[in-house]
Amino acid sequence: MKKSLVFAAIAAAAFGTSAQAATITVLPGQLESVFAKAQPGDVLVLQGTFGRDILQNRSFSTRVTIDARGATFPQGIIIRDSSNVTVLGGTFGNSTAALNSGRAMWLNRTNNVTITGSTFIGAGGSGAGQGIIVDASRNLAIRSSNFSGFKSGFSLYGARNAILDRNNFTQNTSDGINIVNSASVRATNNQCSNFTLLDGAHPDCIQLWSLAGLPMQTNIWLIGNSAIGNMQGFTSFDPSTASGQFLRFENNYVENSFPQGIACYGCFDSVFLGNTLIAMPGAKHKTSLNVIGGARNVIGSNTLIDNRLGTASTTTLSALSASSLSDLGAELADTGSVWDPRSFGIEDWQIAEAEAVAREGGFVFGSNNAVPEPATWAQLLAGFGLIGLVRRRRKTRVAA
């Protein structure tokens, strides 16, 4: 046997690659059956307008790529109980009719799933639903995608090891991102702007909360994100006595008309550094950094600019006590958004499912001891890089 063939055989054994990996053209009505038969390393090239397909029960040793750049899913898609899947591009949802399921994409009990360069479109209003709901999943990446016209862009429930990077949220009626009962999440360089408010809503660009009776969220980093317009910025609210531990709010930019620029209620061992908070002209309240309760938090080098009267005044916050950071007084009780459980916006089934996963599910999200360290996540990404170095012979065919 030639040396090249020997190497290919060794590489296939080591990395789980397949010599039969193929590029497959998939038309509407074929996706579920093609996915069920896909081989490790296959690329499924979608063309046309698809129904609400359900892709499930597949764990690939090498990533399968769903190239949806030529496809639309007006009623969304579901991926569940599957691992090592990448969705590239695609348009999910629509601007004219409510989503039957209330979400344009649902990732349920997935592992190593990546969504990149996709477009999510909602019909606006109170029934717009969500762009993506993720629950009971780990090792997730959502990158460079656009979300417009939803109640909320996407929500993570019981997720572990997630990267949310360079996503854009516009025309939402509530939050951009919700992170709930999760651990080891990095939200970086996301942008929220031009939200359209519902009556009584307190929208947040990124909102965190723990579930009462379960361990705090931990190791969640919000870095380099921006929130501009009629919304609160970046918040972690306290459902009982504890909101989060080892949280990082760094180098975020808020230019808004709401009082909460950055808020962390009942947070421990958390860091607030280098954030810029600007109260827009005409805003009712000064935009504030509010670190209420908790312990062992670090506050430094944050800049507050009060431009409510059109003449900016600037304050640099460094190690100030939390009680001195706000002029709202009793009005601090008016927090949260329509997706905050305290205002009954989150649906009962979502709370029940998140709690069930934490207590009984296959992924034990309730144990702080099981939280992977950043080095572990880095090793995982490095592993993906090594897999990508292995050459695969591809052939092209059209699905029958």
Side-chain angles (χ1 to χ4, degrees), residues 159-163 182-186 218-221 371-374 377:
R160 282 247 174 134
N161 284 353
I163 295 174
S182 297
S184 296
V185 178
R186 308 290 184 265
T218 183
N219 287 313
I220 298 175
W221 295 7
V371 177
E373 294 298 323
W377 185 226

Side-chain angles (χ1 to χ4, degrees), residues 58-100:
R58 295 302 310 274
S59 294
F60 300 102
S61 57
T62 303
R63 279 183 177 268
V64 164
T65 299
I66 299 173
D67 184 345
R69 288 175 291 183
T72 59
F73 290 79
Q75 283 298 322
I77 190 172
I78 296 172
I79 303 175
R80 63 159 62 111
D81 295 303
S82 296
S83 63
N84 284 332
V85 176
T86 291
V87 177
L88 175 62
T91 299
F92 303 87
N94 69 89
S95 61
T96 59
L99 296 165
N100 293 336

Side-chain angles (χ1 to χ4, degrees), residues 202 232 237 258-260 265 284-286 290 326-336:
H202 298 267
Q232 300 183 148
F237 291 127
F258 273 73
Q260 304 277 18
Y265 287 38
K284 184 178 179 180
H285 297 292
K286 180 176 71 177
N290 298 305
S326 175
D327 63 353
L328 298 185
E331 295 185 49
L332 282 173
D334 185 21
T335 59

